[in-house]
């Protein structure tokens, strides 16, 4: 089990998580619907990123924190033998997480609440992973500060994010147009964030990322990479 920081709240399960979503307006029924629809949507999305995830997550070992693991799509790509901890505020993801963890030979320790306040000690995890999460968190800068805080020196944050299309492109206009509706149906997701800028500001010792595109409407442009503490 993770060790709680002395002054920080520690929530060992998801039951209390509904009341721990400050600034999250999504009603309970929408969170439930989102968990189910995310599970369905990822059946189409995952094949397009599987090989990239396999490469990105290869070599991970020790204690791994996943922020916003959702329904647990990354378990299949994570090496066996790691100690996995997830920070996931939507309690309706829990049954999916438990099932996928078991299917792929991992044990899931899920902490409720948001990654803006990770209930783990400083320098206590070997790596942090996150896919399609910085689009959804209320405060990207604070999440990245927390990621950096809990990473051991030399530890890496490995990520994949969908991002804003290049300014002036048709796709950028399309993202702007659908953004308000998208935010509601995708439970707080911003389809046009620029997380590379937040990563550049977050004070990591080294940052590398590449851009790539997937054949999906709205969330087409992506970045993937690593930020080293
Ligand atoms: C688009 S889903 C992606 C889920 C998963 N990582 C994947 O690749 O399928 C965004 C996830 O971030 C979670 N999330 C939202 N706000 C968060 C926060 N403040 N801290 C951590 N996770 C958060 C959501 O509950 C959801 O599980």
């Amino acid at each position: 089990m993770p060790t709680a920081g002395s002054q920080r709240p520690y929530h060992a399960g998801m039951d209390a998580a509904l009341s721990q979503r400050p600034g999250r307006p999504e009603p309970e029924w929408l969170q439930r619907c989102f968990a189910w629809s995310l599970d369905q949507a990822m059946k189409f999305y995952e094949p397009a990123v599987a090989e990239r995830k396999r490469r990105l997550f290869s070599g991970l070992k020790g204690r791994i924190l996943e922020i916003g693991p959702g329904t647990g799509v990354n378990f299949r790509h994570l090496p066996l033998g790691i100690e996995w901890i997830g920070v996931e505020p939507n309690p309706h993801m829990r049954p999916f997480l438990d099932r996928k963890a078991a299917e792929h030979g991992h044990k899931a320790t899920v902490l409720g609440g948001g990654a803006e306040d990770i209930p783990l000690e400083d320098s206590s995890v070997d790596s942090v992973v996150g896919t399609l999460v910085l689009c959804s968190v209320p405060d990207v800068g604070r999440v990245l500060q927390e990621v950096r805080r809990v990473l051991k020196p030399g530890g890496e944050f490995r990520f994949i994010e969908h991002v804003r299309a290049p300014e002036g492109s048709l796709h950028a206009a399309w993202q702007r147009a659908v953004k308000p509706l998208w935010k509601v149906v995708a439970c707080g997701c911003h389809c046009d964030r620029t997380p590379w800028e937040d990563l550049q500001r977050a004070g990591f010792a080294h940052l590398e990322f590449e851009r790539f595109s997937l054949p999906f409407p709205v969330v087409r442009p992506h970045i993937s990479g690593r930020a080293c503490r």
Side-chain angles (χ1 to χ4, degrees):
M1 290 289 283
T3 314
S6 53
Q7 304 301 316
R8 306 179 69 81
Y10 170 61
H11 310 290
M14 298 295 285
D15 296 345
L18 268 178
S19 58
Q20 291 159 12
R21 288 165 65 77
R24 300 306 299 238
E26 300 88 22
E28 205 259 334
W29 66 265
L30 185 56
Q31 294 182 54
R32 186 186 293 273
C33 278
F34 182 60
W36 181 85
S37 52
L38 182 66
D39 191 52
Q40 298 302 310
M42 293 321 270
K43 291 177 186 158
F44 297 94
Y45 180 90
E46 269 300 296
V49 283
E51 177 52 27
R52 183 175 292 273
K53 283 188 175 180
R54 198 188 55 73
R55 277 185 273 122
L56 186 67
F57 297 154
S58 76
L60 288 175
K61 50 182 189 263
R63 191 186 219 199
I64 308 301
L65 170 70
E66 179 161 358
I67 55 170
T71 59
V73 282
N74 291 330
F75 282 123
R76 70 171 63 237
H77 307 291
L78 292 169
L80 289 175
I82 60 166
E83 179 196 353
W84 184 94
I85 303 166
V87 176
E88 172 53 65
N90 182 340
H92 301 291
M93 301 293 181
R94 182 62 190 256
F96 296 100
L97 277 173
D98 285 343
R99 196 180 67 234
K100 291 217 183 70
E103 258 170 45
H104 296 288
H106 295 283
K107 183 176 173 294
T109 299
V110 186
L111 310 178
E116 285 85 354
D117 193 8
I118 301 172
L120 295 175
E121 301 273 10
D122 297 358
S123 309
S124 61
V125 304
D126 295 287
S127 307
V128 178
V129 301
T131 58
L132 315 184
V133 177
L134 298 180
C135 54
S136 295
V137 302
D139 188 338
V140 181
R142 192 163 147 198
V143 167
L144 292 175
Q145 288 313 313
E146 280 290 271
V147 165
R148 209 163 65 90
R149 179 184 68 75
V150 299
L151 273 173
K152 293 178 184 171
E156 287 182 342
F157 173 43
R158 301 190 188 183
F159 56 87
I160 294 180
E161 293 292 333
H162 65 75
V163 300
R164 178 186 294 176
E167 264 332 303
S169 67
L170 201 59
H171 198 73
W174 168 235
Q175 285 182 326
R176 256 195 312 278
V178 299
K179 182 176 167 172
L181 179 63
W182 185 262
K183 196 172 168 205
V184 176
V185 296
C187 229
C189 171
H190 300 72
C191 59
D192 65 346
R193 277 188 172 164
T194 54
W196 65 88
E197 293 176 355
D198 303 281
L199 283 155
Q200 279 158 348
R201 277 193 295 266
F204 286 98
H206 177 73
L207 170 67
E208 62 184 48
F209 67 90
E210 61 179 3
R211 293 173 188 275
F212 64 102
S213 216
L214 293 178
F216 299 114
V218 188
V219 293
R220 184 184 298 169
H222 282 66
I223 58 171
S224 78
R226 309 159 179 235
C228 182
R229 183 184 160 193

